[in-house]
Amino acid sequence: QSVLPQPPSASGTPGQRVIISCSGGSSNIGRDRVSWYQHVAGVAPKLLIYKTFQRPSGVPDRFSGSKSGTSASLAISGLRYEDEADYYCVVWDDSLRGYVFGSGTKVTVL
Amino acid sequence: EGQVVESGGGLVHPGGSLRLSCAASGFPIANYWMHWVRQAPGKGLVWVARIDDGVGRTDYAESVRGRFTISRDSARNTLYLHMSSLRADDAALYYCVSDFTGFEDSWGQGTLVTVSS
């Protein structure tokens, strides 16, 4: 099963900004919209970003998504201890005819 | 607000079969694309399958194509995942998701599948 590469870990102190990248190709990120999920162990994953930039209601504007070519990014500004979690990008892949998740990034707040 | 509750997980031998169920409430599953997503112990999230909100068109991850079948019973408002020829690497927590990647997405708490002899 293909996965999109993400850095395995990222960290920062409270208040800092952390950026998580997601690398894809022309059959996925290059042609479709990206979503981002936050996952804390033992809890169902939570949608943070959909359609590359959009935030569902209730998600603070500290979380923002962007895309350039075949790569996407999730930025977390004003880092808080409650942001400690695993973060995954996900996008439809037209070649595989299925959704592909990123490999996941574990964010630690120091 | 919609809710989904998975069931049917358990211990199965390699090569065996299992059927997972996902009971939905608060919304008609026939009006939404419905998905299954899984997470093996210590691993990342993996999309498994989806069924559309119309004629019932389905798509599958390469790793389960030909072995798993997603279906729905609109009268029971229940989604299913029929799994056969199960392998050790199918062991995972299986989540039912409505409107996956949409702003109204809803996840259950998952049902655990263990594949072992």
Side-chain angles (χ1 to χ4, degrees):
Chain A
Q1 184 70 36
S2 297
V3 296
L4 306 178
Q6 293 180 228
S9 63
S11 61
T13 57
Q16 281 191 325
R17 186 169 187 246
V18 167
I19 297 178
I20 301 167
S21 62
C22 174
S23 179
S26 58
S27 62
N28 43 67
I29 295 178
R31 62 178 293 132
D32 212 330
R33 297 167 294 191
V34 182
S35 299
W36 290 88
Y37 279 91
Q38 177 191 62
H39 191 202
V40 175
V43 180
K46 176 184 177 182
L47 183 67
L48 292 178
I49 298 290
Y50 68 102
K51 292 184 181 179
T52 305
F53 314 104
Q54 305 297 320
R55 280 186 307 276
S57 63
V59 173
D61 59 7
R62 301 187 296 105
F63 295 92
S64 62
S66 64
K67 185 176 92 166
S68 178
T70 58
S71 291
S73 296
L74 173 72
I76 310 173
S77 303
L79 198 63
R80 304 172 71 159
Y81 286 111
E82 68 209 50
D83 298 333
E84 283 206 337
D86 295 321
Y87 292 82
Y88 296 89
C89 60
V90 60
V91 63
W92 177 260
D93 188 297
D94 216 47
S95 294
L96 296 175
R97 293 298 305 166
Y99 281 93
V100 180
F101 274 97
S103 50
T105 298
K106 184 174 187 60
V107 169
T108 302
V109 183
L110 303 170
Chain B
E1 188 173 308
Q3 195 174 20
V4 294
V5 178
E6 305 93 337
S7 62
L11 174 63
V12 61
H13 295 310
S17 299
L18 204 60
R19 186 184 78 167
L20 306 183
S21 299
C22 167
S25 58
F27 70 98
I29 63 169
N31 287 9
Y32 290 85
W33 289 75
M34 297 295 296
H35 302 248
W36 289 96
V37 173
R38 70 186 183 185
Q39 184 177 36
K43 303 292 187 181
L45 297 171
V46 175
W47 177 83
V48 174
R50 73 175 181 178
I51 185 166
D52 76 3
D53 59 354
V55 298
R57 177 185 162 176
T58 58
D59 290 294
Y60 298 90
E62 207 168 14
S63 59
V64 307
R65 203 169 290 151
R67 301 186 300 122
F68 289 13
T69 301
I70 187 172
S71 64
R72 65 170 179 244
D73 184 331
S74 298
R76 288 185 164 82
N77 213 32
T78 299
L79 179 75
Y80 300 102
L81 185 68
H82 301 255
M83 306 185 295
S84 61
S85 303
L86 282 161
R87 311 184 304 220
D89 61 357
D90 293 318
L93 186 65
Y94 283 75
Y95 293 101
C96 167
V97 191
S98 66
D99 197 26
F100 176 58
T101 74
F103 68 93
E104 290 182 313
D105 80 329
S106 180
W107 294 61
Q109 289 305 304
T111 186
L112 185 64
V113 173
T114 303
V115 183
S116 175
S117 52

